[in-house]
Amino acid sequence: MPDPTSQIVASMPRARLLGLMLFFLGPAVAIYTAISIYPLLATMGLATYRVTPTGDSYFVGLANFVTLLTDAVWSKPFWNAAWNNLKFFVVHMIVQNPIGIALAGLLSLPQLAGRGFYRTVIFLPTMLSVVIVGFAWNLILSPLWGVAEGAMKAVGLGAYFAPWLGLPSTALGTIALISVWQFIGIPMMLIYAALLNIPDELVDAARIDGLNAFRIFWHIKLPLVLPTIGLVSILTFVGNFNAFDLIYSVKGALAGPNFATDILGTFFYRAFFGNQLQVGDPNMGAAIATVMFFIILVGVCFYLFVVQRRMMRYAF
C-alpha cells in the first residue's frame, strides 16, 4: 500500500513543491555552500596558480601538483608525511578500534556492575582539550621531570623507560598511542550503542543453546554490529588524515625529532603559513590541501561503494 505522504507529494503542484524545498532546504544549502563548498573550490583554484616576485598571480594548471610529487624539495617531505600519516592511521586501526570493540562488549554485559561509571571514565579524555592532553603527556613522559620513569621503576620496569617522544623511531608511535588513549571512547560508545540495539531474543536463544558470553559476542553480536564497525573505521580514516592538533601541541610545527612525527596536516601548515625554516607558499599549501582532500575522498568512496555494499549483501 503506497505511503499517504508519498501520495500527497506526488499530487502537489510542481511550483509549490519547489517553493517548499527552497523554503526548508534553501538556508541549509546556502550555509553549507558558504562555509564548505566555496572554500573547497577556492582552495582547488588557488592550487592552480603561482605568484611572481612582484605579487602577480598566473595560471599554471597542474604544475604545482607535479612539483609537489616530483621535485625533491617538496616530494621528500610530502612522501614522508604521507607515510607517517598512514602509520598513524594503522596504529589507530589495530589498537584503538579492537580495544573499543572489546570495551563495548564488556560494558554491554548486563551482569557488569558500575557500567555507567566505567563509561564515564573511559569517555572522559575525549572531552579534554587536545592542547591540555599534549601538554600533560609531555610532562608525564619527560625524562627530566616526568612521572613515567618513576612509575615504571616502582613496578620493576624502569630498565624499559626511554625518552620515547625524543627518539625518531618511537615518537610517532607514542603520539599515536596518546591519541588512542584520548579518543578510544568514541568507537567504544558507537559500538556500545549498536550492541544495545541487538534484540534480546537472539541472545536468549543463543544462551539456551549453551553458548557462553564470549561465543555469543563473537558469533552473534559482532556480525550484527559490522556496519557500525565499518562506520567507525571510516571515521577513524577521515579523522587521522585530517589530524594536526595533537602533533602540533606535542611537537610543534616542525613535528620533530627530524620530522619523524610529520604528517600531512603539519606539512600543510608549514607550507601554507611558513615557519622559521621556510617562507609560506599559499599556492603549494593549497595543492597539499587538495591532495589531502582527494586521499580522503578515495578512502570514503572505497568504503561507500565497496565495503558498505558488501555489508548490505551480507545483511540481506
Side-chain angles (χ1 to χ4, degrees), residues 4-5 112 117 171:
T5 304
L112 179 66
F117 173 76

Side-chain angles (χ1 to χ4, degrees), residues 93-314:
M93 285 296 295
I94 64 177
V95 178
Q96 174 182 276
N97 291 348
I99 294 178
I101 295 171
L103 291 174
L106 290 174
L107 292 175
S108 65
L109 295 175
Q111 62 269 28
L112 179 66
R115 289 181 296 171
F117 173 76
Y118 297 138
R119 288 198 307 267
T120 303
V121 170
I122 297 172
F123 193 78
L124 186 61
T126 305
M127 299 182 288
L128 297 177
S129 167
V130 176
V131 177
I132 294 175
V133 171
F135 181 74
W137 278 101
N138 252 328
L139 294 178
I140 292 172
L141 299 177
S142 172
L144 297 178
W145 52 72
V147 299
E149 184 176 10
M152 293 181 67
K153 286 181 178 179
V155 296
L157 299 176
Y160 296 99
F161 178 80
W164 293 298
L165 287 176
L167 298 176
S169 59
T170 58
L172 181 65
T174 303
I175 295 178
L177 292 177
I178 293 173
S179 177
V180 167
W181 171 83
Q182 182 179 11
F183 294 110
I184 197 170
I186 295 177
M188 180 198 71
M189 292 303 295
L190 290 173
I191 297 169
Y192 174 72
L195 289 173
L196 293 183
N197 287 327
I198 295 176
D200 294 334
E201 293 80 4
L202 294 176
V203 178
D204 294 338
R207 191 175 292 114
I208 292 173
D209 289 338
L211 273 68
N212 57 30
F214 175 78
R215 296 185 64 186
I216 290 174
F217 176 78
W218 186 259
H219 294 289
I220 296 177
K221 292 184 177 181
L222 189 60
L224 291 175
V225 299
L226 282 179
T228 303
I229 294 175
L231 176 62
V232 168
S233 299
I234 197 62
L235 290 177
T236 303
F237 174 79
V238 174
N240 288 169
F241 276 86
N242 273 324
F244 165 77
D245 43 9
L246 181 60
I247 290 181
Y248 183 81
S249 65
V250 175
K251 305 303 295 184
L254 294 180
N258 195 26
F259 302 106
T261 60
D262 194 21
I263 59 175
L264 292 174
T266 51
F267 178 50
F268 158 75
Y269 179 86
R270 292 197 311 276
F272 195 97
F273 297 102
N275 59 87
Q276 58 263 46
L277 298 181
Q278 68 186 74
V279 179
D281 189 337
N283 301 102
M284 290 303 298
I288 297 169
T290 302
V291 172
M292 292 173 62
F293 167 75
F294 280 106
I295 290 174
I296 295 173
L297 179 64
V298 169
V300 172
C301 289
F302 174 79
Y303 168 75
L304 292 177
F305 296 107
V306 178
V307 178
Q308 192 177 53
R309 284 188 176 183
R310 290 187 177 182
M311 287 183 179
M312 291 176 65
R313 294 194 193 102
Y314 175 78

